[in-house]
Amino acid sequence: VTAALPEVQVDMRYGADGLQRMFLGGTDVTEKIRLPEISMYASAVSAIPAVRAFLLEMQRDMARRSSVIMDGRDIGTVVVKIFLCADVQVRARRRTLELEQRGTPKPYEQVLEEMEQRDWADSHRSAAPLRPAEDAVVVDTTNMDFAQSKDAILQVIRRRTQP
């Protein structure tokens, strides 16, 4: 994995619909990076310190070039200072619904178990473990829908960026 990093070309562009799209080597991978098997691989690969360093610089470069909102399991520790969280059972229900809507359904119990395993692995790794930064604003979306979550995040951004 480390040897392949110099050849990796990741880019973020906006589609005609105005939504962010992720590209790997010029190929749109926006949908593929959200597949369950990719999530599991991402947890293992992201524990490699060289991968962490590569991703950090890539994310900072994207933020320098574009106005972008990023999400990820260590974004709130390293790049921005908002840490989103929700009860694991609620997150598993949301993910189960998302998978059904994509046509790749999985049983809720399986999604929950995989999510608990990934949470444990990501919070116990030595390189950039999953946790809020000391000065992060924690936004718990357990009892919020998407619109409420977005509004809560925008309120934090407005508070932090207005003089």
Side-chain angles (χ1 to χ4, degrees):
V1 171
T2 302
L5 290 176
E7 305 301 319
V8 173
Q9 294 178 337
V10 177
D11 192 26
M12 187 273 309
R13 301 180 209 149
Y14 291 95
D17 56 6
L19 298 177
Q20 294 175 355
R21 310 293 299 174
M22 294 303 303
F23 291 82
L24 176 62
T27 302
D28 187 343
V29 295
T30 305
E31 302 302 322
K32 291 180 181 173
I33 61 175
R34 298 288 184 199
L35 294 173
E37 58 270 25
I38 300 303
S39 289
M40 295 308 290
Y41 293 137
S43 182
V45 172
S46 67
I48 301 169
V51 171
R52 300 264 26 101
F54 174 83
L55 292 173
L56 176 59
E57 185 50 38
M58 180 194 71
Q59 292 159 346
R60 286 181 173 162
D61 183 57
M62 282 183 187
R64 282 189 289 269
R65 291 184 286 119
S66 304
S67 175
V68 60
I69 294 176
M70 297 182 194
D71 71 290
R73 290 183 154 239
D74 73 333
I75 293 291
T77 309
V78 182
V79 181
V80 297
K81 302 296 180 177
I82 298 172
F83 187 85
L84 290 177
C85 64
D87 177 81
V88 69
Q89 293 175 340
V90 171
R91 290 186 292 124
R93 281 195 297 275
R94 291 173 181 168
R95 182 73 168 153
T96 300
L97 179 60
E98 177 187 353
L99 293 172
E100 287 173 8
Q101 291 171 343
R102 286 194 177 157
T104 56
K106 274 189 176 184
Y108 166 79
E109 293 77 17
Q110 181 181 353
V111 172
L112 177 62
E113 183 179 337
E114 289 174 357
M115 198 168 278
E116 288 172 334
Q117 289 173 357
R118 183 164 181 206
D119 285 354
W120 189 92
D122 289 351
S123 63
H124 288 81
R125 66 182 176 219
S126 59
L130 173 64
R131 70 180 189 293
E134 287 182 25
D135 57 345
V137 176
V138 176
V139 177
D140 186 338
T141 65
T142 298
N143 297 309
M144 298 180 194
D145 63 18
F146 179 81
Q148 293 167 324
S149 299
K150 181 178 85 172
D151 288 343
I153 294 166
L154 289 173
Q155 286 178 21
V156 170
I157 292 169
R158 286 183 189 112
R159 282 197 315 263
R160 295 292 171 125
T161 58
Q162 293 177 353

